[in-house]
Amino acid sequence: MAVVSVIFNRLRLWLYRLLSTESDWAPERVRIFRFSLPFVLKCTCREHSTEADALRFLNSRFQGQNCLPIPYMYDSFYLDGHTYELISKLPGSTLLEAVQQKKVPSTPEYHHQIRSEITAVMRRIWSVAQPPHLTGKVMVSASGHGLLTDRDQYSDALWGPLPSRIAYYRLMTGFVSQDVLVQAMSPHFGDVIATLEADPMVFAHTDLTMPNVLVANDGHLSGIIDWENAGWLPMAEQWSCLRKRACYSRKAYSGGWAELDVGDATRRAYSLVTACHTAPMATKIGKGDMLLPKEEKSSQ
């Protein structure tokens, strides 16, 4: 059966490549279909694609008239160290391209409008509860696998699922132990764990930057793409990802996310985690040696 599966996957890939051509922006990873066919073929250089998990999950939760402006997952398969995804091609151009080509105004008012439209879509997603078998787990994909950290985004090194928010922030901040992390946070809030646990768990998109936001000719939101590494994370982490300014995002866009109404629980958790970055470096693990006990790493 394994041999038959490999042969079938090779035939699929041959057909998809025959019908598509390399994209201008990522020729090695993204192919656009010819003949105006509304499909995109994406290639991920790892065995497991968290984007495929995310799209299947969201497509199943939001169907018909209730669907979201996100790609639809038609097919995915693994072959020769790569995962291939056949997804729908959404209309519009990226927000970054639209701003650069002056298709939309680069004003605070316009960026406020597009952030509001993105927020309306994301709030629908954030309202979805974790499935029972994943309840309470952190840094976990829709299929129950772990997620990537920023430094591992081009590797197969998935981290998680983790048992708690404190374990997640221990990993992300690089502290030696949970006790050291709590002590570093303690001067700022009395009950650290309770503050972190009060922060809602949401299905997060970790890269909502301008290249991953599509806008139509009228300037309104037409799609949100690149769901790689999407999964269940604390809302404070989602807010942090939104506020992070990438080199290719404009300040008028990324800076405004600080005004997002995320609720008191998330604001307190965000302030707490931000404060821990001022702790003495002696209590932290070097970035190149950031390790967790085996039981806290992905068991896949």
Side-chain angles (χ1 to χ4, degrees):
M1 290 298 293
V3 175
V4 173
S5 177
V6 169
I7 294 174
F8 180 57
N9 288 344
R10 291 196 187 283
L11 287 173
R12 274 196 285 184
L13 181 58
W14 172 81
L15 177 61
Y16 293 158
R17 282 180 170 169
L18 181 66
L19 294 173
S20 63
T21 184
E22 294 178 345
S23 66
D24 294 331
W25 63 93
E28 295 181 356
R29 298 190 302 110
V30 180
R31 297 179 67 90
I32 306 300
F33 274 62
R34 308 173 195 267
F35 315 116
S36 299
L37 294 173
F39 305 117
V40 172
L41 181 66
K42 290 190 67 175
C43 174
T44 303
C45 299
R46 65 178 68 97
E47 181 176 356
H48 191 82
S49 170
T50 52
E51 179 173 43
D53 296 338
L55 291 178
R56 284 196 189 93
F57 174 72
L58 295 174
N59 292 160
S60 67
R61 292 298 188 280
F62 299 93
Q63 301 179 12
Q65 294 183 345
N66 194 37
C67 67
L68 300 169
I70 65 173
Y72 187 86
M73 170 67 66
Y74 288 103
D75 189 17
S76 70
F77 56 93
Y78 174 75
L79 183 66
D80 298 334
H82 298 76
T83 296
Y84 296 91
E85 305 163 34
L86 180 68
I87 59 178
S88 61
K89 185 178 185 294
L90 300 182
S93 56
T94 71
L95 177 58
L96 180 62
E97 182 182 61
V99 168
Q100 290 174 336
Q101 297 180 2
K102 302 187 185 307
K103 295 178 181 178
V104 298
S106 184
T107 61
E109 293 76 16
Y110 175 72
H111 285 289
H112 175 77
Q113 170 203 310
I114 202 68
R115 284 195 306 271
S116 297
E117 294 178 13
I118 295 169
T119 299
V121 173
M122 293 306 300
R123 286 202 188 281
R124 294 175 63 193
I125 296 173
W126 295 336
S127 68
V128 176
Q130 277 187 296
H133 67 288
L134 297 179
T135 299
K137 293 183 179 180
V138 189
M139 203 176 190
V140 58
S141 71
S143 64
H145 293 82
L147 300 175
L148 304 168
T149 62
D150 287 344
R151 64 190 175 86
D152 292 324
Q153 58 182 318
Y154 298 112
S155 77
D156 252 334
L158 299 180
W159 293 82
L162 301 179
S164 64
R165 292 162 177 79
I166 197 76
Y168 172 74
Y169 286 119
R170 175 193 162 191
L171 169 65
M172 298 308 292
T173 56
F175 278 83
V176 175
S177 69
Q178 176 173 311
D179 290 342
V180 171
L181 177 56
V182 171
Q183 289 170 12
M185 293 177 165
S186 293
H188 305 279
F189 293 94
D191 192 345
V192 172
I193 294 179
T195 299
L196 295 180
E197 291 299 322
D199 184 29
M201 192 75 66
V202 298
F203 195 80
H205 188 305
T206 58
D207 193 18
L208 272 170
T209 49
M210 293 174 70
N212 293 330
V213 174
L214 301 182
V215 294
N217 291 334
D218 62 3
H220 288 285
L221 179 71
S222 63
I224 297 174
I225 60 174
D226 198 357
W227 289 83
E228 191 65 56
N229 214 37
W232 300 100
L233 293 169
M235 183 61 196
E237 182 65 17
Q238 171 71 96
W239 195 30
S240 176
C241 292
L242 289 170
R243 297 176 65 170
K244 189 183 303 179
R245 187 182 177 192
C247 60
Y248 37 73
S249 278
R250 303 296 176 90
K251 185 177 180 180
Y253 172 78
S254 55
W257 285 112
E259 304 168 4
L260 181 66
D261 181 11
V262 294
D264 291 340
T266 293
R267 286 186 177 274
R268 284 174 59 85
Y270 178 84
S271 298
L272 188 59
V273 174
T274 301
C276 84
H277 287 285
T278 63
M281 290 304 295
T283 64
K284 296 185 178 182
I285 303 173
K287 287 293 183 182
D289 302 313
M290 192 164 64
L291 299 173
L292 286 177
K294 291 181 179 179
E295 64 271 16
E296 292 185 16
K297 292 182 70 175
S298 175
S299 60
Q300 68 168 357

